[in-house]
Amino acid sequence: MSQQVLKKVLRDKKQRMTAQRELILKIFMESKGRLMSLDDVYMNIRKRKNHKTSKMTVKRGIDLLEELGIIRKVNFEDGTPRYELIEEIENEPKVLFICENCGKAVKLDLDKDKIKSILPYENIEIKDFDLKIYGMCSECK
C-alpha cells in the first residue's frame, strides 16, 4: 500500500489526503507487520518533530483507514484493539506472539508447511489456521 494508492482511495471516497492521514499510513508501512494499538501510533507520532497531532485525530485517522480497508483491527483478550496494515496476500494464515505483560503483538512467519511439520499427524491437509502464542517478550523478561 503506497501513499498514491491511499490518495486515490480517499479521492474516490470524496475524502482529503491530510498530513496526519499520510503520517499514520507511513507509520503502519514502517511497522513491518507489527500490530499497533492506537497508543502505539500516537506515541510514534509524538516522537517525531513538528507533529502535534491529538490522540482523537489519530483515532479518526485509524478509523478511516480501517473503513477504507487499508488496515484491519485485531481484537485481543486484554480489550486493547491493535491494527495491522492489510498486505497484498489477504488470506494468509496468522501466527501472533502476544506479550502478556506489555501487550505487544508480533506476527510470526509460520506457513502451513512449518505448522504441518510440527503436528504429530501424517497425511493431513491444513486449509487455514489462526494461532496466538502468549508469553513474555525480551523487553519484559
Side-chain angles (χ1 to χ4, degrees), residues 91-140:
N91 294 324
E92 72 182 50
K94 290 186 185 46
V95 179
L96 297 174
F97 172 80
I98 302 157
C99 179
E100 292 178 309
N101 188 47
C102 69
K104 178 177 19 178
V106 180
K107 270 202 295 191
L108 302 177
D109 183 25
L110 291 174
D111 61 17
K112 290 179 185 177
D113 292 332
K114 289 179 186 173
I115 294 293
K116 195 173 180 179
S117 71
I118 62 172
L119 292 174
Y121 307 106
E122 292 183 30
N123 297 324
I124 62 169
E125 178 186 345
I126 298 174
K127 294 186 179 192
D128 194 15
F129 62 90
D130 187 7
L131 179 63
K132 294 177 184 168
I133 302 169
Y134 294 89
M136 297 281 263
C137 70
S138 58
E139 289 95 35
C140 292

Side-chain angles (χ1 to χ4, degrees), residues 27-127:
I27 288 169
F28 276 103
M29 291 171 64
E30 291 171 354
S31 73
K32 297 179 181 155
R34 183 172 165 253
L35 286 104
M36 301 179 72
S37 68
L38 168 63
D39 288 335
D40 293 334
V41 176
Y42 178 68
M43 292 311 292
N44 202 313
I45 288 172
R46 298 286 296 172
K47 289 178 189 174
R48 296 170 189 241
K49 292 184 178 181
N50 300 325
H51 284 285
K52 297 185 175 28
T53 303
S54 74
K55 197 170 189 177
M56 187 50 90
T57 299
V58 174
K59 170 77 172 110
R60 285 192 300 263
I62 286 175
D63 289 346
L64 178 64
L65 292 178
E66 181 186 11
E67 180 186 320
L68 296 174
I70 294 169
I71 62 174
R72 164 185 23 238
K73 183 192 291 188
V74 180
N75 291 310
F76 289 92
E77 293 173 6
D78 67 0
T80 302
R82 291 174 183 81
Y83 302 87
E84 66 179 338
L85 188 66
I86 296 176
E87 298 176 25
E88 301 303 316
I89 303 170
E90 183 60 33
N91 294 324
E92 72 182 50
K94 290 186 185 46
V95 179
L96 297 174
F97 172 80
I98 302 157
C99 179
E100 292 178 309
N101 188 47
C102 69
K104 178 177 19 178
V106 180
K107 270 202 295 191
L108 302 177
D109 183 25
L110 291 174
D111 61 17
K112 290 179 185 177
D113 292 332
K114 289 179 186 173
I115 294 293
K116 195 173 180 179
S117 71
I118 62 172
L119 292 174
Y121 307 106
E122 292 183 30
N123 297 324
I124 62 169
E125 178 186 345
I126 298 174
K127 294 186 179 192

